[in-house]
Amino acid sequence: MWQYILAGNETTGLASSSSEGLIKMAREGRNLGIMKRAHVYVSGVVQGVFFRHHTLETAMELGVNGWVRNLPDGRVEAVFEGETPLVDMMVAFCRRGPPGAHVTDLELREESYKGEFKGFSVKR
């Protein structure tokens, strides 16, 4: 999973050295900065391609809290809370999606951090 998310390839567009450094700091429990909340709506071929599953795995690996769910209109909706660089990585992941997904649009709403989640879940 890490190679796919953090390799700095076309899937994420993230630089591997900076991403891996952030991950290492997060795993060590080091404070990465200001807390952030992002609410995203992802359009395209995003259902039936394990988008929610990959989002869950990625969020858990990064230590980002929140949830993800499918919407009846074919989009995926997610809320991420955590340290700013890690939430930004989750948004970058959603812009590309997992293998098999074809993201055509991502609506991003930055909201006030609430700290209301303990972990990450898939809503049904």
Side-chain angles (χ1 to χ4, degrees):
M1 188 67 177
W2 281 112
Q3 299 82 355
Y4 155 63
I5 297 166
L6 303 175
N9 61 20
E10 296 144 307
T11 303
T12 62
L14 299 172
S16 62
S17 61
S18 63
S19 298
E20 289 171 4
L22 289 173
I23 300 309
K24 183 178 178 191
M25 289 173 65
R27 284 184 174 165
E28 293 171 354
R30 294 171 59 189
N31 187 344
L32 301 177
I34 297 170
M35 303 303 272
K36 180 177 186 174
R37 179 182 176 112
H39 194 154
V40 299
Y41 295 88
V42 188
S43 301
V45 179
V46 294
Q47 292 188 13
V49 293
F50 298 98
F51 201 105
R52 292 176 301 162
H53 173 75
H54 284 285
T55 303
L56 171 69
E57 284 187 343
T58 305
M60 291 177 65
E61 291 284 344
L62 293 175
V64 172
N65 298 321
W67 52 264
V68 62
R69 68 177 171 189
N70 284 342
L71 294 175
D73 64 6
R75 294 180 299 162
V76 168
E77 177 184 20
V79 174
F80 306 115
E81 284 196 337
E83 305 223 27
T84 296
L86 301 177
V87 170
D88 290 344
M89 289 173 72
M90 288 303 305
V91 172
F93 166 79
C94 287
R95 286 189 193 284
R96 299 286 186 174
H102 178 72
V103 177
T104 58
D105 188 44
L106 182 134
E107 179 183 339
L108 171 63
R109 297 179 185 170
E110 291 191 7
E111 302 173 347
S112 297
Y113 178 80
K114 298 179 183 176
E116 67 180 289
F117 308 114
K118 301 291 184 223
F120 198 88
S121 64
V122 174
K123 285 189 170 185
R124 306 245 180 231

